[in-house]
Amino acid sequence: MKILKKNCIAVSAAVVLAGFCSLVAVRKVAFNKLDSAVPLAVDQVGILKDTLSSRYAEEYALVKPLPYNLGSRNLDVWAESAILIDVSNGCILYQKNADEVIPPASMTKLFCMYVVEEAAINGQFSYSDLIPLPPESWACNMPPHSSLMFLGEGQKVTLGELLLGLSICSGNDAAYALAYATSGSMGEFVSLMNQTAQELNLTHTYFEESSGYSEKNTTTPAEMAAFCRKYILNHPESLKRYHSVPDFSYPKEINLASGDVPARQDFSQGIPRHITMPIYQKNTNPLLGKLEGCDGLKTGYIEESGYNLSLTAERNGTRFLSVTMKGPGSNTAEGQAGRVHDGTELMEWAFANFFDYQLSEDLHSILTKLYGYKEKALNLIPAWDDAVTIPFIAGESLEACKELINVTVNLKERRTYPEVINAGDELGLILIDVGGTEICRIPLVSDRTVEKANIFVRAADCFVRK
């Protein structure tokens, strides 16, 4: 019996050993062939996104400080309040009284456009839809001295034309038409605008109506810049489609109401007779066609706000955005001159001193093999994936400075990994420096939650890892 028992033990041990060796062999082959981690499920993607946006809330903010000390910025900005940001990441390059609460005036129309374009994306409209014009939207019913697209009773106008009239002519009538078409009333539409501000955590931004005519509409340069960044990121095509269009004529013959006669000159009675004439208007943005790369966004003026301007320009893949408010001027010509001065001052300084740097594709997802865990691999990803704003601090030119960028990747030792790796856990670090001066650090984090495997797999992987 003793001999039989020993034989049974020996056989069992041999079976266990064979099974273990087989497990080692299988795991070794699997790891040798491994070239990607299992794709994340939809719920895992959501968990990761929520974790990172919560843990790195400042980095996910629409506007935020630079990750390095820039020193003093001695810019000649005439407006009382201003801000300049890098659109790719929201980093603030310059600010002056940027938290002062000021009426946005017609910059309000950007919120109007955003709400309408969100509705279009959600299928409520198409840009070719004909939009009914209630009496509240007719030019003749607008307040005195309003900017107008010149809408009239019975005219046939599309959603796209109204958005052009809003962005180019700053038409208050177009703002009213869009509000009623989207929500049925100005009150309901303004609620959507205010809801947008709340969702973006713009605590000082509030609207009474959609055109910007009311001094009770409020925002700050910082909050307007945050919103404009969101608008550009969500609707980049709007810059080309609406905000960079140089001029606009309305109404064309196709827009006329039934019974209207298009503009013609009739010399049969010896004098010209004009019936209906398209009104030509230039884009109110004075830097279109003057500032290299400028393709938006919007001016604004009422007496209580001074001359406002939300401005953006892009060169060589880098886009900046400025907001200037309470610009000086006792008339339109002086106000426009101030807008041109400040916009040029801010943008030329930005493009002369900064550029965007994108991490290489191989750093967007680093495959990391996991020995002794329930999954064989995970991906290490940057905790945030915005471009990095690089300052001109080394080299003889911006191009030379680009050649001095150095990226270092430091990964934690696998043996220091915890029993449970949670989505968002920091397992590495990306360091970026320019000519030896550190610019920023970006954590590399796990893209998923993974637990340790059972004791047999853990033991087998000890041999595989060797």
Side-chain angles (χ1 to χ4, degrees), residues 21-75:
C21 290
S22 177
L23 177 62
V24 170
V26 169
R27 299 282 291 181
K28 188 171 185 178
V29 170
F31 275 109
N32 287 339
K33 292 183 176 179
L34 187 65
D35 59 5
S36 64
V38 175
L40 295 179
V42 174
D43 62 327
Q44 289 177 298
V45 173
I47 290 170
L48 178 62
K49 182 179 179 181
D50 290 344
T51 299
L52 295 181
S53 61
S54 174
R55 187 171 296 173
Y56 303 101
E58 184 176 83
E59 294 297 335
Y60 279 77
L62 285 169
V63 295
K64 61 190 179 187
L66 284 164
Y68 47 84
N69 183 14
L70 191 60
S72 61
R73 295 98 149 166
N74 297 316
L75 298 179

Side-chain angles (χ1 to χ4, degrees), residues 420-459:
V420 177
I421 302 172
N422 291 301
D425 280 356
E426 294 187 15
L427 301 178
L429 191 65
I430 298 174
L431 301 175
I432 300 176
D433 71 77
V434 177
T437 300
E438 184 177 306
I439 297 300
C440 71
R441 300 183 172 205
I442 306 173
L444 282 165
V445 301
S446 170
D447 70 341
R448 68 195 68 205
T449 296
V450 186
E451 298 178 356
K452 281 282 190 179
N454 62 53
I455 191 171
F456 297 106
V457 171
R458 293 165 71 171

